[in-house]
Amino acid sequence: KAGVTQTPRYLIKTRGQQVTLSCSPISGHRSVSWYQQTPGQGLQFLFEYFSETQRNKGNFPGRFSGRQFSNSRSEMNVSTLELGDSALYLCASSLGISAGGINEQFFGPGTRLTVL
Amino acid sequence: AQSVTQLDSQVPVFEEAPVELRCNYSSSVSVYLFWYVQYPNQGLQLLLKYLSGSTLVKGINGFEAEFNKSQTSFHLRKPSVHISDTAEYFCAVHRLTGNQFYFGTGTSLTVIP
């Protein structure tokens, strides 16, 4: 089975621009979660999508948004980029079934975003 | 609310020496516990998890962790480290319901030859 793929792997943008990152989950997985990883802050949860609906949301400003398509692929968009948005953005896919079970998350390699 | 504290941001250790990476959590509900490893320029890979049962959990690459409910800890241990264990290690908790993980800030393990 192919793993989680993220594109692009590296991205350089300037302040004020917007960016779109893509994540393709493992086949059969319906949940995609996004995280921002920065030194000293660890992984900060952005949001989770399940069956094209945002199911959980972290504490990030509205500049961060996402969506999920019918094939479970997900995109994350950041508008009006700031220097502090420079980070590794990770997505994780899981089955997403939450009825008393555990959903192991499988992570992609991440997209390294640098804002100049 | 859940929170995860990894007490050491950096841990240097000599090759073949034992290591312990500490993790404490706080939660008002029961949780599942995990350790992930991140090698340079890669995503996170599951090392081990505690769901229920025996409090001593064995994972990949010779790592193990012990769940201590009274101390709300889930420390990761390895009796003899290798150079290849140099990586970032993350402790995480997951509530019994829902689908959200809460991660610690990570511990950078450096194995010195």
Side-chain angles (χ1 to χ4, degrees):
Chain A
K1 231 181 204 182
V4 180
T5 58
Q6 291 187 246
T7 57
R9 291 293 310 276
Y10 301 92
L11 207 49
I12 299 175
K13 292 285 188 179
T14 56
R15 277 183 300 173
Q17 287 187 307
Q18 75 163 14
V19 67
T20 299
L21 313 181
S22 179
C23 172
S24 293
I26 292 170
S27 177
H29 285 190
R30 294 166 64 190
S31 168
V32 174
S33 297
W34 288 90
Y35 296 86
Q36 181 193 66
Q37 184 181 7
T38 54
Q41 293 288 320
L43 278 76
Q44 307 277 323
F45 174 73
L46 281 153
F47 31 65
E48 182 219 1
Y49 284 85
F50 178 78
S51 291
E52 302 179 62
T53 301
Q54 188 180 88
R55 187 162 67 171
N56 290 298
K57 188 178 188 304
N59 191 26
F60 276 80
R63 300 186 297 107
F64 292 82
S65 63
R67 59 177 176 168
Q68 187 179 34
F69 302 94
S70 59
N71 62 357
S72 294
R73 189 178 71 85
S74 177
E75 288 183 346
M76 190 191 87
N77 184 275
V78 188
S79 62
T80 319
L81 283 166
E82 300 177 0
L83 295 178
D85 296 333
S86 293
L88 180 67
Y89 290 88
L90 293 165
C91 85
S93 81
S94 70
L95 289 170
I97 302 166
S98 61
I102 180 64
N103 291 274
E104 181 178 341
Q105 292 196 339
F106 295 84
F107 285 82
T111 294
R112 172 78 60 189
L113 172 65
T114 302
V115 182
L116 302 175
Chain B
Q2 283 71 232
S3 71
V4 182
T5 302
Q6 291 184 243
L7 298 164
D8 306 297
S9 59
Q10 295 185 334
V11 174
V13 63
F14 286 103
E15 193 175 13
E16 297 183 7
V19 70
E20 178 180 81
L21 306 184
R22 296 179 293 170
C23 173
N24 287 86
Y25 69 94
S26 64
S27 176
S28 56
V29 298
S30 296
V31 296
Y32 299 122
L33 297 159
F34 300 80
W35 276 98
Y36 283 86
V37 60
Q38 184 180 35
Y39 298 105
N41 298 316
Q42 294 186 28
L44 274 69
Q45 178 184 354
L46 181 66
L47 263 181
L48 49 80
K49 58 189 175 188
Y50 173 78
L51 306 183
S52 64
S54 173
T55 57
L56 183 63
V57 180
K58 294 190 184 298
I60 63 172
N61 300 340
F63 283 94
E64 62 181 33
E66 185 155 19
F67 169 57
N68 188 317
K69 188 173 182 180
S70 63
Q71 297 186 5
T72 60
S73 68
F74 191 54
H75 300 334
L76 180 70
R77 302 186 184 100
K78 186 169 182 178
S80 176
V81 295
H82 302 290
I83 297 291
S84 59
D85 293 324
T86 294
E88 190 88 14
Y89 291 80
F90 292 93
C91 180
V93 302
H94 183 295
R95 291 178 60 175
L96 268 62
T97 57
N99 195 38
Q100 188 170 337
F101 281 74
Y102 299 86
F103 286 85
T105 52
T107 297
S108 177
L109 174 65
T110 301
V111 180
I112 305 164

